Amino acid sequence: MCEHADRPARLHPVSTRPDVSESAFLKAARGEPVPHTPVWYMRQAGRSLPEYLRVREGVAMLDACVDPDLVVEITMQPVRRYGVDAAILFSDIVLPLKAVGVDLDITPGVGPVVAHPVRTLADVEAIPELTPEHVPFITEAVRGLVGELGGTPLIGFAGAPFTVASYLVEGGPSKEHARTKAMMFGAPEVWEALMAKIARIAAAYLEVQVAAGASAVQLFDSWAGALTPADYRAQVGPHSAYVLERVGALGVPRIHFGVGTSNLLTLMGEAGADVVGVDWRMPLGSAIPLVGDRAVQGNLDPTLVFAPTELMTARAAEVIEAGRAARGHIFNLGHGVIPSTDPDQLKRLTEFVQSYPVA
């Protein structure tokens, strides 16, 4: 059983949010007919854009994430440049932890680094619960973005419990997740408490974003591919399900994405996703039967944007054609945009996907 404390009163979306319900992105997420295949990209706002590098010069990552004006500007950059069908809030997976007081920073070239990794139940109990008062800059940024975006939906996001737990336990990024699994197998009471705490923080964080105007959410489980289906089902999935269930009560589509999770796609869908993200390792046509009656997102290999345009678009067409078998299909890369990507090539890909004939 997941040991979650009593849930706080739910927040409700602001009534001033522009009507984006007929957007291609939200139609696809709901499994409805679309005017064109919608497209957006994970990490579409970031180091691949020269305008991003200019505004981030001399500004630390987490400092950028708590500056509402900068968040709005960076989130809008790929929407202006590419004309994508959805924006995703510029933030970082560990921001909610930083907001509640966890001593961490993002080290360039390394990633999130936690000063005092979680080892004991007392360490877990010392992490505060997140409330809207911890992240007023998120509310301000999302409201600003809703006004800027007009009819383009904004996707809110949070890190899934397993991935965030791994950062907290390992003290930073890890390839083996050895300490994480040691806690999961060897100290189940600490593990359970940690996962429950992170799940409540993630759910509250997403509720803040939806209350301010986000039209959909994505739960990132970057490291879930390190798990077996049995371990995911028993010790991870219920906590992700808790997050998705709480956000689902607000009536927005929920995307669930993990890297290297071909063996977990069915379970990730069953956790409460409306849309299951598929990375590039599995053909989309093979993934669709695994996710059930749900929409899919993906899944062009991110390196194909470095190939000749004709090859890139030919492979994109294969992804779009495969996506026709799903309840709905949102085109994306199979993971984030690589920093050295040519923005002009990504623009060509966007235009190709949006102009590709619908069935």
Side-chain angles (χ1 to χ4, degrees):
M1 291 292 291
C2 297
E3 298 176 357
H4 297 281
D6 292 339
R7 299 174 185 177
R10 287 210 172 92
L11 304 170
H12 298 282
V14 292
S15 59
T16 56
R17 178 170 52 187
D19 182 16
V20 296
S21 62
E22 294 304 302
S23 67
F25 169 79
L26 290 177
K27 280 178 169 286
R30 296 191 300 260
E32 299 171 1
V34 293
H36 63 268
T37 300
V39 52
W40 71 279
Y41 306 109
M42 290 178 280
R43 295 184 191 153
Q44 62 188 15
R47 290 173 290 171
S48 63
L49 298 178
E51 55 266 43
Y52 170 83
L53 296 175
R54 285 195 295 270
V55 300
R56 273 289 316 281
E57 187 174 0
V59 182
M61 178 63 181
L62 289 176
D63 290 340
C65 292
V66 301
D67 182 332
D69 291 338
L70 203 49
V71 170
V72 171
E73 169 58 23
I74 293 172
T75 302
M76 289 298 302
Q77 287 175 350
V79 179
R80 299 187 196 113
R81 180 181 277 266
Y82 302 131
V84 285
D85 292 286
I88 186 163
L89 181 70
F90 173 75
S91 190
D92 190 87
I93 202 168
V94 297
L95 183 65
L97 298 177
K98 182 73 171 181
V100 300
V102 174
D103 188 358
L104 60 82
D105 203 355
I106 297 177
T107 303
V110 177
V113 176
V114 179
H116 305 289
V118 171
R119 296 286 182 266
T120 67
L121 198 56
D123 293 336
V124 177
E125 292 169 349
I127 301 172
E129 301 285 346
L130 185 140
T131 69
E133 289 70 32
H134 285 110
V135 287
F137 47 88
I138 292 295
T139 297
E140 184 179 346
V142 171
R143 287 177 174 168
L145 279 164
V146 168
E148 290 275 347
L149 286 164
T152 301
L154 175 66
I155 306 168
F157 88 94
F162 178 79
T163 292
V164 177
S166 181
Y167 282 118
L168 283 172
V169 176
E170 303 286 342
S174 171
K175 293 182 179 179
E176 295 81 16
H177 309 282
R179 291 188 179 92
T180 306
K181 291 185 177 183
M183 178 182 288
M184 186 170 69
F185 298 133
E189 70 288 348
V190 180
W191 177 256
E192 182 68 19
L194 177 61
M195 290 289 281
K197 175 69 68 73
I198 297 170
R200 293 194 298 272
I201 289 173
Y205 185 56
L206 289 174
E207 286 173 338
V208 167
Q209 294 173 63
V210 174
S215 298
V217 299
Q218 177 157 301
L219 191 65
F220 284 83
D221 215 347
S222 305
W223 308 131
L227 297 163
T228 67
D231 291 335
Y232 181 90
R233 182 183 293 108
Q235 294 163 299
V236 173
H239 299 282
S240 292
Y242 171 87
V243 179
L244 293 167
E245 190 274 333
R246 267 182 61 173
V247 180
L250 298 177
V252 297
R254 301 154 296 177
I255 307 167
H256 200 185
F257 172 76
V259 181
T261 52
S262 299
N263 62 332
L264 303 176
L265 291 176
T266 299
L267 295 173
M268 292 179 73
E270 291 173 350
D274 301 296
V275 184
V276 177
V278 183
D279 82 356
W280 75 95
R281 294 172 177 85
M282 171 176 275
L284 194 62
S286 300
I288 288 169
L290 300 177
V291 305
D293 188 25
R294 295 178 174 87
V296 294
Q297 179 176 278
N299 70 333
L300 188 72
D301 186 331
T303 65
L304 278 166
V305 299
F306 298 95
T309 301
E310 295 76 13
L311 176 59
M312 175 188 71
T313 54
R315 294 290 291 273
E318 293 175 3
V319 172
I320 297 170
E321 290 290 344
R324 298 192 194 283
R327 177 180 176 87
H329 177 216
I330 298 165
F331 188 93
N332 208 313
L333 302 179
H335 197 197
V337 174
I338 296 169
S340 56
T341 296
D342 176 2
D344 291 339
Q345 186 74 328
L346 212 55
K347 173 67 172 175
R348 287 188 281 270
L349 177 60
T350 304
E351 292 173 344
F352 175 81
V353 173
Q354 291 173 334
S355 63
Y356 196 89
V358 295

